[in-house]
Amino acid sequence: MKSGVLDRRIIVQSKSEVVATNGQRTLTWSTFLPIWSNPVVKDGVEKEDNKNRSTSRMVNFRTRYNSTITNEMRILWNNQYYKIEDIKELGRQDGLMINTSLLTQT
């Protein structure tokens, strides 16, 4: 994979659960891996369910291969959070295509 194509910096974040001294559990996100990528914005999808309309924006991030990225993580790019929907290996560990959808809540 040519390095010049991967020209946008994204941050892969992992979630962890923190337990306070009073026993309350809180979900937090932290930086797992800053990585170069080539984002490709896909067409949005509009759905209507029980008279509630929602839209979603899909973005595919092409990155170098990394076996530690999972669907339980999220991506931060341009101050927006993206849920990882699917991860596909490109070639024989040449790279990854990470399919995501824009999160409306963090």
Side-chain angles (χ1 to χ4, degrees), residues 20-38:
T21 55
N22 64 0
Q24 183 176 357
R25 296 173 184 257
T26 306
L27 179 68
T28 62
W29 291 90
S30 59
T31 297
F32 176 75
L33 178 70
I35 191 169
W36 291 102
S37 86
N38 177 18

Side-chain angles (χ1 to χ4, degrees), residues 26-88:
T26 306
L27 179 68
T28 62
W29 291 90
S30 59
T31 297
F32 176 75
L33 178 70
I35 191 169
W36 291 102
S37 86
N38 177 18
V40 177
V41 178
K42 297 293 183 184
D43 291 336
V45 177
E46 189 173 307
K47 293 188 260 182
E48 190 170 326
D49 184 24
N50 294 334
K51 296 188 180 182
N52 292 324
R53 183 177 291 184
S54 65
T55 59
S56 63
R57 185 170 131 200
M58 309 298 282
V59 178
N60 294 342
F61 295 94
R62 185 176 181 164
T63 67
R64 293 200 181 281
Y65 181 80
N66 187 313
S67 64
T68 59
I69 298 173
T70 69
N71 289 8
E72 298 296 317
M73 299 175 177
R74 72 179 183 184
I75 291 176
L76 172 62
W77 177 55
N78 285 345
N79 295 320
Q80 293 184 313
Y81 296 99
Y82 294 85
K83 178 181 186 276
I84 297 177
E85 302 288 348
D86 188 35
I87 302 172
K88 293 187 175 135

Side-chain angles (χ1 to χ4, degrees), residues 6 8 17 19 50 80 95:
L6 306 177
R8 298 290 186 261
E17 200 172 274
V19 180
N50 294 334
Q80 293 184 313

